[in-house]
Amino acid sequence: MSEDDLQCSASFPGEAEPETADDATDTVDSVEYLPFHRPSIREEDISAVSTALRSGWLTHGPICREFEAEFAAHVGASRAVALSSCTAALHLALAAHDIGPGDEVITTPFTFCASAQVIQHVGATPVFADIDRITMQIDPAQIERVLGPATKAIIAVDYGGHPCPIDEMVKMARARGVIVIQDAAHSLGATVGSRPIGSIADVTAFSFYATKTITTGEGGMITTEDQQIADRIRHLRLHGVRQDAWRRHQKAAGWQYDVHEAGFKANMTDFQAALGRSQLRREPAMRARRTEIAARYTTAFSALGDLVELPTVKEGMRPSWHLYPLRLAGEARNMRDQLADDLNRLGIGTSVHFIPLHLTAHFRQCLGFRGGEFPASEDAYSRVLSLPIYPDMTEDDTERVIDTTSRLVSGYVG
């Protein structure tokens, strides 16, 4: 689920209009616009990047290697490979397993398009499995329905930062010789029991896009226990070359290299990795702040009763709270678009995660969908709105979201 935040609100301070609802008196002119997301950048982050820029080495090099080692330890994995994006991580995970034409890969339609596009990039066919209506996670029972002899992999998406039922999927896949790639773009810091996400699936892909748990601006990482797959991805990320530029330019190093296969350009830079290392040290604190905001939201919005459905946290799982997806229900169920518009007019940014892929022009054209094939995904999409939730939100910001959202939703039903 990488780079999904292209769907974030594009409004900026001063662009919003006064609300038109009868009971509203606030206007954006009187308050600062609260964006859907703002990255948490500290002086130590800036200093780390500055040090990397002054080092004389900008592209993939020693800081990337340090970031990989620290990240692997952070998520309890044996190996990590830094990449240019989570999309690249998903793509190369498929390529490293030689998945291609004639193969099928199962994923959910309730995700950002990258999760399915990478399947097409390797020449395989995406097959969609619907979500669970309560959790909005990919449903193992729906995966079972579409598993077939051509299935070679499952891309299991962690929606909103809550782990999908990964253990059930891994068990199902192992029995059939199918690999599981966990799309953990939203779930850095999440756990299943005592196991961090990143240490469970065959390969796990993370995102460091600007809105994610930690950021490198653009960037991604894979983790795996498989040394052969990790090495293959390292080669694929740099054109299939077996010796990277840093090693070739060290003192007394040779200039020789060889190209072993048709690879890609998907490496991370050292100054991105410097930011990632700095951010990774603060990941637990940033996650804790998101968790506090989520708990405050859940307590407050419970007062709306059957007008909303709150995010569900499964027993034994710790989410990262990348998103706080509020679903309108009951008499308010058809008011999602109105709520998004009204919040924007009142200076609060929101987003919708996600437009189901089978409803988009590309997947309609190439896979023949007409709508109605995945009812749980379509129902979630019609009612869900992601509210601001990020570490630099103040208590006043949180209360403002709560008060404004609660007043609007209550007002829609008289």
Side-chain angles (χ1 to χ4, degrees):
M1 200 182 298
S2 51
E3 287 72 67
D4 57 88
D5 306 279
L6 295 173
Q7 296 188 52
C8 294
S9 171
S11 299
F12 294 92
E15 288 188 0
E17 300 174 359
E19 190 196 24
T20 57
D22 292 340
D23 63 345
T25 57
D26 297 332
T27 66
V28 178
D29 293 337
S30 63
V31 292
E32 182 181 358
Y33 190 85
L34 180 66
F36 174 67
H37 181 81
R38 181 183 291 120
S40 180
I41 301 297
R42 298 285 184 267
E43 285 301 320
E44 56 263 38
D45 299 327
I46 297 170
S47 177
V49 174
S50 296
T51 298
L53 292 174
R54 293 188 180 100
S55 72
W57 189 266
L58 300 185
T59 187
H60 188 93
I63 303 178
C64 282
R65 298 181 188 285
E66 291 166 350
F67 186 30
E68 288 172 339
E70 291 166 3
F71 190 88
H74 190 83
V75 302
S78 298
R79 299 162 185 87
V81 182
L83 297 159
S84 56
S85 67
C86 186
T87 303
L90 294 169
H91 180 195
L92 297 192
L94 293 171
H97 284 91
D98 293 315
I99 293 171
D103 297 333
E104 294 180 350
V105 179
I106 298 171
T107 192
T108 171
F110 199 60
T111 183
F112 186 61
C113 57
S115 304
Q117 286 175 335
V118 295
I119 300 168
Q120 296 179 308
H121 292 335
V122 297
T125 300
V127 175
F128 293 145
D130 210 353
I131 59 173
D132 181 279
R133 287 183 178 273
I134 296 174
T135 65
M136 296 189 284
Q137 304 291 338
I138 189 169
D139 185 350
Q142 297 299 317
I143 294 176
E144 187 81 50
R145 289 181 63 248
V146 295
L147 268 170
T151 304
K152 293 298 186 290
I154 299 168
I155 294 182
V157 178
D158 293 335
Y159 175 76
H162 192 287
C164 65
I166 189 64
D167 283 331
E168 193 172 346
M169 281 184 275
V170 167
K171 182 178 179 181
M172 181 191 309
R174 296 263 164 85
R176 294 166 172 81
V178 172
I179 67 162
V180 176
I181 300 168
Q182 191 161 10
D183 182 341
H186 288 182
S187 55
L188 173 59
T191 61
V192 177
S194 61
R195 295 168 299 157
I197 296 301
S199 64
I200 303 171
D202 295 302
V203 178
T204 305
F206 295 90
S207 175
F208 308 137
Y209 187 66
T211 60
K212 295 305 192 293
T213 306
I214 68 170
T215 185
T216 59
E218 299 278 359
M221 187 81 74
I222 69 99
T223 58
T224 184
E225 300 304 299
D226 190 321
Q227 180 69 59
Q228 184 175 354
I229 291 298
D231 287 344
R232 180 98 187 272
I233 291 174
R234 288 190 181 99
H235 303 150
L236 286 171
R237 73 181 170 184
L238 285 167
H239 305 288
V241 174
R242 292 289 177 92
Q243 187 180 21
D244 63 36
W246 168 250
R247 287 176 174 171
R248 295 201 308 273
H249 288 85
Q250 291 184 85
K251 185 177 181 180
W255 53 265
Q256 295 91 347
Y257 66 89
D258 200 0
V259 180
H260 288 258
E261 61 181 311
F264 305 90
K265 180 62 173 173
N267 59 292
M268 181 179 284
T269 68
D270 260 19
F271 61 89
Q272 288 175 299
L275 177 56
R277 293 183 67 204
S278 179
Q279 290 255 308
L280 188 63
R281 297 182 192 107
R282 301 203 330 270
E283 185 276 321
M286 292 193 287
R287 172 170 30 89
R289 179 57 185 148
R290 286 179 183 265
T291 302
E292 290 173 358
I293 296 169
R296 181 70 189 96
Y297 280 169
T298 296
T299 299
F301 294 137
S302 294
L304 293 173
D306 61 5
L307 296 178
V308 296
E309 291 179 20
L310 305 174
T312 300
V313 178
K314 286 286 190 178
E315 184 177 357
M317 293 187 176
R318 183 185 73 194
S320 65
W321 290 111
H322 172 66
L323 299 177
Y324 191 91
L326 186 71
R327 279 178 287 179
L328 299 186
E331 294 181 73
R333 67 180 296 116
N334 296 322
M335 302 301 294
R336 191 275 311 280
D337 290 359
Q338 185 66 54
L339 178 60
D341 289 345
D342 287 342
L343 285 171
N344 188 55
R345 291 190 187 101
L346 292 171
I348 296 173
T350 62
S351 191
V352 172
H353 298 85
F354 289 96
I355 301 171
L357 298 184
H358 70 289
L359 300 183
T360 64
H362 171 69
F363 290 101
R364 281 176 178 263
Q365 292 164 6
C366 67
L367 297 177
F369 294 118
R370 294 187 174 186
E373 293 91 347
F374 305 101
S377 295
E378 292 181 30
D379 176 68
Y381 161 59
S382 72
R383 301 189 289 119
V384 73
L385 190 67
S386 298
L387 300 177
I389 181 168
Y390 49 92
D392 286 0
M393 285 179 66
T394 66
E395 292 300 320
D396 286 346
D397 292 335
T398 305
E399 292 304 313
R400 180 180 164 201
V401 173
I402 289 169
D403 293 345
T404 308
T405 302
S406 298
R407 176 166 56 86
L408 288 168
V409 172
S410 297
Y412 295 148
V413 296

